[in-house]
C-alpha cells in the first residue's frame, strides 16, 4: 500500500528555509558590528582637531566676562594661541612616541620568537656530554663539584638581550625623539613664515576686491588689520573703525579673529561653498561630466563691518552666513 509523503517534504523544506534565514541573520549581525566599528573609528578621527578649538573658545569666553580693554583682549588671545599650539605639538609628539614604541616592541617580539626557534636543538652529542659531566661531578668531592658548578654560571653570548632594560639604548631613543620633535618644530615654523596672497572683497552691498600678503601663521585679526590700512583711504566709514568692528567671512562662514590661517591649512577645513584652506581665487577647470573629483573652486572672502551685518543679516547673502564650528562638517558644498 503506497504511503503519502507530502508532509515530510514540506517539513524538510521548512527546516531548510529556517536554516537559511538563521544564516542570513548571522551575516547581518556581523555586517552591523563591522559598520559600527568603522563609524566609531571615523568619529574619533573627526574629533581630533575640534577639542582645541572648543577649549580655546570656552576659555576665552570665560576670561572676557564684562568690560575688557583691547590690550587685555589681545594679550589673552595671544596666550591662548600659544597654549593651543603647545598642546597640538605635545599631542603629535606623544602620538609619534607611541608609534615608535609599538614598532620597537613588535621588532623585539619577532627577534625573541626567532631566537626561541633557533635555540631548539635535538643533537645526541649534547646529551652524552651532559652524562659525562654528571659522572665526573659524582666522582669528585663536594667542594670541587660546587666550584665546577660556579664556573659554569655566566652570560650566554648567543642569547638575545635586546628586550632587557638598557640605559644606552634608552638614551639613544630619547635623543632620537628629541631630534624628531625639533625637526617637526622647524618644519612647522618654516611653513608659518611662508607668505601667501589673500584675495578678499570689502562688502557694503557690493564687492570691492583687494589683495593682501600675510604669513601663513598670521591670525585673522592680523589680516583684518592689514586690510583695514588699505581700505581706509577709499572708504570713509572705515576711517574711524577698529579691527574688532570688522568681520571676515570665508565660504559663508564667519571666522573668529583668534584663528590662524595655518590652522585651516593644516586641518584642510571646509566651508559651506568651498575649501577654507585656499585663500586665492580660482575656478574649477575640470570637466563637468567628471563627478569622481572634488570641486576645487575658491571664492574671495568678504570683509564686512559688524554694524552692516546686523542691519542686513536677514537679506541675501548675509542670510547664509553663520559662525564657524570646527565640529560641523561640510562634505557637500552648497552654492545656492
Amino acid at each position: 500500500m503506497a504511503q503519502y509523503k507530502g508532509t515530510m517534504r514540506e517539513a524538510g523544506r521548512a527546516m531548510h528555509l529556517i536554516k537559511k534565514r538563521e544564516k542570513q541573520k548571522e551575516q547581518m549581525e556581523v555586517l552591523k558590528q563591522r559598520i559600527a566599528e568603522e563609524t566609531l573609528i571615523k568619529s574619533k578621527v573627526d574629533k581630533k582637531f575640534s577639542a582645541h578649538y572648543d577649549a580655546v573658545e570656552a576659555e576665552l569666553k570665560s576670561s572676557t566676562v564684562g568690560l575688557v580693554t583691547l590690550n587685555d583682549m589681545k594679550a589673552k588671545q595671544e596666550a591662548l594661541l600659544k597654549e593651543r599650539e603647545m598642546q597640538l605639538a605635545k599631542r603629535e609628539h606623544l602620538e609619534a612616541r607611541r608609534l615608535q614604541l609599538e614598532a620597537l616592541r613588535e621588532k623585539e617580539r619577532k627577534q625573541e620568537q626567532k631566537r626561541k626557534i633557533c635555540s631548539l636543538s635535538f643533537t645526541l652529542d649534547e646529551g652524552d656530554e651532559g652524562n659525562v659531566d654528571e659522572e665526573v661531578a659524582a666522582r669528585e668531592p663536594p667542594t670541587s663539584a660546587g666550584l665546577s658548578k660556579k664556573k659554569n654560571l655566566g652570560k650566554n653570548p648567543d642569547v638575545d638581550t635586546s628586550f632587557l632594560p638598557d640605559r644606552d639604548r634608552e638614551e639613544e631613543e630619547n635623543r632620537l625623539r628629541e631630534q624628531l620633535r625639533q625637526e617637526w618644530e622647524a618644519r612647522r615654523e618654516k611653513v608659518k613664515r611662508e607668505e601667501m596672497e589673500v584675495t578678499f572683497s570689502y562688502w557694503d552691498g557690493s564687492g570691492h576686491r583687494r589683495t593682501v600678503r600675510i604669513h601663513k601663521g598670521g591670525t585673522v585679526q592680523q589680516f583684518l588689520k592689514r586690510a583695514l590700512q588699505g581700505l581706509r583711504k577709499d572708504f570713509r566709514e572705515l576711517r574711524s573703525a577698529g579691527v574688532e568692528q570688522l568681520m571676515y567671512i570665508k565660504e559663508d562662514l564667519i571666522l573668529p579673529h583668534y584663528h590662524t590661517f595655518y590652522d585651516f591649512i593644516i586641518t584642510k577645513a571646509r566651508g559651506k561653498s568651498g575649501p577654507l584652506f585656499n585663500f586665492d581665487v580660482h575656478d574649477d577647470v575640470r570637466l563637468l561630466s567628471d563627478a569622481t573629483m572634488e570641486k576645487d573652486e575658491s571664492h574671495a572672502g568678504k570683509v564686512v563691518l559688524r554694524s552692516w551685518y546686523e542691519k542686513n543679516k536677514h537679506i541675501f547673502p548675509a542670510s547664509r552666513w553663520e559662525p564657524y564650528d570646527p565640529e560641523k562638517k561640510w562634505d557637500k558644498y552648497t552654492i545656492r
Side-chain angles (χ1 to χ4, degrees):
M1 182 176 178
Q3 296 180 357
Y4 176 70
K5 297 183 179 180
T7 307
M8 296 297 294
R9 291 197 189 98
E10 294 296 331
R13 183 183 177 189
M15 291 296 294
H16 178 69
L17 290 175
I18 290 173
K19 291 181 180 179
K20 187 176 180 182
R21 289 174 182 172
E22 290 179 354
K23 187 176 181 180
Q24 291 177 352
K25 187 176 180 181
E26 292 177 358
Q27 292 177 354
M28 287 298 295
E29 291 295 333
V30 173
L31 185 60
K32 287 181 181 179
Q33 186 176 3
R34 187 181 303 170
I35 292 173
E37 292 176 356
E38 293 177 356
T39 306
L40 181 60
I41 294 173
K42 185 177 180 181
S43 64
K44 290 181 179 179
V45 174
D46 291 339
K47 293 181 179 179
K48 182 177 180 181
F49 298 101
S50 62
H52 295 293
Y53 299 120
D54 295 340
V56 170
E57 188 172 359
E59 189 172 353
L60 185 62
K61 289 180 179 179
S62 62
S63 61
T64 55
V65 177
L67 296 177
V68 180
T69 62
L70 179 60
N71 293 330
D72 293 343
M73 184 71 175
K74 291 181 179 179
K76 290 178 181 179
Q77 288 178 352
E78 293 294 335
L80 290 176
L81 286 173
K82 290 181 180 179
E83 183 179 356
R84 180 163 54 82
E85 289 180 358
M86 291 177 63
Q87 290 176 356
L88 282 171
K90 185 176 180 180
R91 174 173 292 184
E92 294 182 2
H93 172 64
L94 292 176
E95 184 68 18
R97 180 181 179 184
R98 185 182 65 81
L99 294 176
Q100 288 181 354
L101 290 177
E102 289 181 356
L104 185 62
R105 292 194 191 100
E106 182 67 18
K107 183 178 179 181
E108 292 177 353
R109 187 185 64 80
K110 290 182 179 179
Q111 291 179 353
E112 177 67 15
Q113 186 177 4
K114 184 177 179 181
R115 184 189 65 78
K116 289 180 179 179
I117 294 174
C118 295
S119 63
L120 295 176
S121 177
F122 298 96
T123 56
L124 296 176
D125 297 338
E126 294 180 357
D128 295 339
E129 290 177 358
N131 294 332
V132 172
D133 292 339
E134 290 178 358
E135 293 178 358
V136 172
R139 293 176 183 176
E140 292 178 353
T143 55
S144 61
L147 292 175
S148 63
K149 289 182 180 180
K150 289 183 179 179
K151 289 181 181 179
N152 291 331
L153 295 177
K155 183 178 179 181
N156 188 353
D158 299 330
V159 176
D160 183 16
T161 59
S162 60
F163 60 92
L164 296 175
D166 190 350
R167 181 179 300 176
D168 296 335
R169 187 172 65 244
E170 290 178 357
E171 291 178 356
E172 180 66 19
E173 290 177 1
N174 294 331
R175 187 190 63 79
L176 179 60
R177 293 192 189 99
E178 182 64 21
Q179 181 181 355
L180 293 174
R181 188 189 66 80
Q182 292 178 0
E183 291 178 358
W184 181 84
E185 289 282 350
R187 287 197 300 267
R188 188 181 66 170
E189 293 299 327
K190 182 180 179 181
V191 172
K192 284 187 175 183
R193 288 193 299 268
E194 293 178 358
E195 279 195 355
M196 64 176 182
E197 188 177 61
V198 180
T199 304
F200 69 96
S201 177
Y202 172 64
W203 190 264
D204 56 355
S206 60
H208 309 279
R209 186 165 291 188
R210 299 286 191 275
T211 57
V212 168
R213 296 194 64 84
I214 192 171
H215 296 286
K216 292 183 179 180
T219 62
V220 175
Q221 185 179 16
Q222 294 172 352
F223 157 72
L224 290 174
K225 185 177 181 180
R226 290 194 179 185
L228 184 60
Q229 293 174 357
L231 292 172
R232 275 176 175 166
K233 60 183 179 181
D234 296 331
F235 300 96
R236 184 178 300 174
E237 64 271 15
L238 295 178
R239 292 177 183 175
S240 61
V243 179
E244 60 277 0
Q245 299 175 8
L246 294 178
M247 300 168 57
Y248 181 51
I249 294 89
K250 174 68 173 170
E251 307 301 344
D252 294 329
L253 294 180
I254 304 172
L255 303 183
H257 286 194
Y258 57 84
H259 279 289
T260 64
F261 293 96
Y262 177 79
D263 296 334
F264 302 115
I265 295 172
I266 200 66
T267 59
K268 297 291 183 182
R270 304 181 185 279
K272 295 174 67 175
S273 56
L276 294 177
F277 51 86
N278 287 335
F279 298 94
D280 54 349
V281 177
H282 60 274
D283 298 327
D284 187 13
V285 297
R286 68 192 177 105
L287 297 176
L288 296 177
S289 60
D290 187 4
T292 61
M293 296 176 62
E294 182 185 5
K295 289 185 177 181
D296 196 21
E297 298 177 355
S298 179
H299 308 91
K302 294 180 177 62
V303 176
V304 182
L305 274 172
R306 194 177 297 274
S307 58
W308 184 93
Y309 171 72
E310 293 295 336
K311 293 179 182 178
N312 301 276
K313 60 183 178 182
H314 61 285
I315 305 173
F316 182 85
S319 59
R320 277 178 53 87
W321 301 346
E322 59 180 87
Y324 171 69
D325 185 5
E327 290 186 354
K328 195 170 185 179
K329 304 301 176 183
W330 302 96
D331 296 331
K332 294 183 180 180
Y333 301 144
T334 58
I335 305 299
R336 296 188 181 88

